[in-house]
Amino acid sequence: MADDGEQAEALLRFLEAHPDFDYVWQDYGCLPQELIDLENGKVLQTRSEPEQEAFGEMLLCANLLYLGAPVLILLDDEYMKRFWTSCEAWLSMQECTPTGLQPAPAAGRGHIICLDGTAPVKIGALRGMWANATIEEACDHLAGDNIEVTNKGDKAKCLSKLE
């Protein structure tokens, strides 16, 4: 998605309609990022050594947020093709139980807002893909070559953790 402010505007509208939210954690804004030229994919500025260390530590635990907090999904046409967003969607539709992760009740599956003129029918497709998927099914799908990821090492670490 282009950085045109649409996500920020959607988040602001959501928070105005849901004043009971006190805090927002947005992975891209809360994890130290590299500066990348979106037109050619070249890294313009890397993380400092302390930022890289912090990023690695946070990345290992970030998935817990999607299991334990309400999640707002800003759905665009690329969302279901990307590794991290797909993994986060699946986690947001699970709940922790004494016997492991189980599908969360429909009321506990967070909120989804369509962006970029994305058809609302995609909300049903996203929920249909992830709401009742087992860990094995999620890992099989996420491991597929059709799921895009910038850093294949991150993908391997995350899948290993899920497995």
Side-chain angles (χ1 to χ4, degrees):
M1 170 190 293
D3 184 14
D4 60 4
E6 185 180 12
Q7 288 184 341
E9 289 175 20
L11 176 59
L12 181 59
R13 284 192 306 273
F14 177 82
L15 292 172
E16 288 171 348
H18 299 86
D20 50 320
F21 285 87
D22 294 323
Y23 302 99
V24 173
W25 187 88
Q26 182 187 29
D27 56 0
Y28 188 85
C30 293
L31 293 171
Q33 301 294 320
E34 293 180 322
L35 181 59
I36 299 174
D37 183 332
L38 297 177
E39 287 190 28
N40 61 28
K42 297 220 184 252
V43 176
L44 301 175
Q45 181 179 343
T46 60
R47 295 178 195 96
S48 67
E49 192 172 315
E51 286 174 332
Q52 183 60 39
E53 188 175 319
F55 180 84
E57 291 296 318
M58 287 186 254
L59 197 58
L60 292 173
C61 303
N63 59 333
L64 298 176
L65 291 168
Y66 300 97
L67 285 170
V71 173
L72 172 62
I73 292 174
L74 302 175
L75 183 62
D76 65 12
D77 287 333
E78 299 297 312
Y79 190 96
M80 294 182 352
K81 299 176 190 174
R82 296 189 314 263
F83 176 78
W84 284 113
T85 52
S86 293
C87 184
E88 293 158 3
W90 177 73
L91 289 167
S92 76
M93 296 181 199
Q94 305 303 303
E95 68 178 355
C96 295
T97 72
T99 58
L101 296 179
Q102 300 294 323
R109 293 187 181 154
H111 308 273
I112 303 173
I113 296 173
C114 290
L115 299 177
D116 284 336
T118 301
V121 70
K122 295 220 174 171
I123 293 173
L126 181 69
R127 285 197 170 121
M129 178 180 290
W130 296 117
N132 295 306
T134 65
I135 291 175
E136 293 81 12
E137 291 166 339
C139 287
D140 285 348
H141 184 81
L142 291 167
D145 290 336
N146 60 327
I147 299 294
E148 300 168 6
V149 66
T150 305
N151 183 335
K152 294 191 187 300
D154 288 349
K155 186 175 183 176
K157 286 178 194 174
C158 183
L159 287 173
S160 174
K161 189 174 181 181
L162 287 176
E163 291 168 346

